Amino acid sequence: DAKTTQPPSMDCAEGRAANLPCNHSTISGNEYVYWYRQIHSQGPQYIIHGLKNNETNEMASLIITEDRKSSTLILPHATLRDTAVYYCIVCSNDYKLSFGAGTTVTVRA
Amino acid sequence: SAVISQKPSRDICQRGTSLTIQCQVDSQVTMMFWYRQQPGQSLTLIATANQGSEATYESGFVIDKFPISRPNLTFSTLTVSNMSPEDSSIYLCSYRVGSRLDEQYFGPGTRLTVT
């Protein structure tokens, strides 16, 4: 699986958009970008994934650069409940889910 | 998604003993996994629990230390054997619907403290 690099932490103001970057310069053609998050004392939760195109669902948007070497997860209107560790994972669709260090996001009132 | 539960939710155990963690899913699932999350760390995959056959372990994990059972498509157990304080972690069960990584779900975890 391709390695990912994320900032260790970031703060965000409640109600503002949170933009979480992820670098994955060694991604290969058949690998997807997945985002999961882990709220304190809970198991990880799927957020969104993409291959080439930008994606949006009820939780977030995923912007993938044209060369696919980086991506950004956007939480459009962050709430206090979005405080969590966010994991960017790159792998083939049927492979095993492997977690890196992630970004600890703290949403402040 | 199916409901996934683990027992116990937490335990405090003495060094040298063993603990078996149970994972129950309320519908049949193909793939089940066990992860470990050491204090302040990310999740590490221990093994894939295969129904009707031996588990497939990741590098650094062995069957003698972490025996796993998967007797049917809804249930699995992980045993942490001959425990030491270094085994103090949260152990999480996970299942996947088919082969899609966007349909992988995690249990609430079992918080284990070894004294």
Side-chain angles (χ1 to χ4, degrees), chain B residues 65-114:
Chain B
K65 177 66 176 177
F66 297 101
I68 287 171
S69 77
R70 177 96 193 265
N72 56 52
L73 293 174
T74 65
F75 186 78
S76 178
T77 66
L78 168 75
T79 299
V80 186
S81 302
N82 188 24
M83 289 183 284
S84 68
E86 293 71 37
D87 294 318
S88 297
S89 295
I90 299 173
Y91 292 87
L92 296 103
C93 174
S94 175
Y95 76 89
R96 186 183 303 168
V97 177
S99 62
R100 293 169 58 98
L101 290 180
D102 59 332
E103 293 197 82
Q104 183 156 344
Y105 302 93
F106 289 79
T110 295
R111 182 179 295 271
L112 170 62
T113 302
V114 183

Side-chain angles (χ1 to χ4, degrees), chain A residues 6-90:
Chain A
Q6 299 178 250
S9 64
M10 62 184 297
D11 285 1
C12 175
E14 187 178 24
R16 305 295 292 269
N19 297 304
L20 283 64
C22 179
N23 287 320
H24 33 79
S25 59
T26 61
I27 191 170
S28 61
N30 65 339
E31 290 182 319
Y32 288 73
V33 180
Y34 287 86
W35 284 84
Y36 273 72
R37 74 179 183 184
Q38 186 175 24
I39 295 171
H40 183 63
S41 297
Q42 297 183 21
Q45 171 194 24
Y46 166 78
I47 301 173
I48 199 168
H49 76 286
L51 182 63
K52 294 181 184 177
N53 300 321
N54 299 336
E55 303 287 345
T56 295
N57 62 20
E58 66 278 4
M59 289 182 69
S61 295
L62 175 60
I63 308 297
I64 302 174
T65 58
E66 193 168 342
D67 64 6
R68 303 210 322 124
K69 292 184 177 182
S70 66
S71 60
T72 301
L73 177 75
I74 301 173
L75 308 178
H77 304 287
T79 71
L80 298 179
R81 288 176 293 181
D82 292 321
T83 292
V85 180
Y86 287 76
Y87 298 100
C88 171
I89 302 167
V90 171

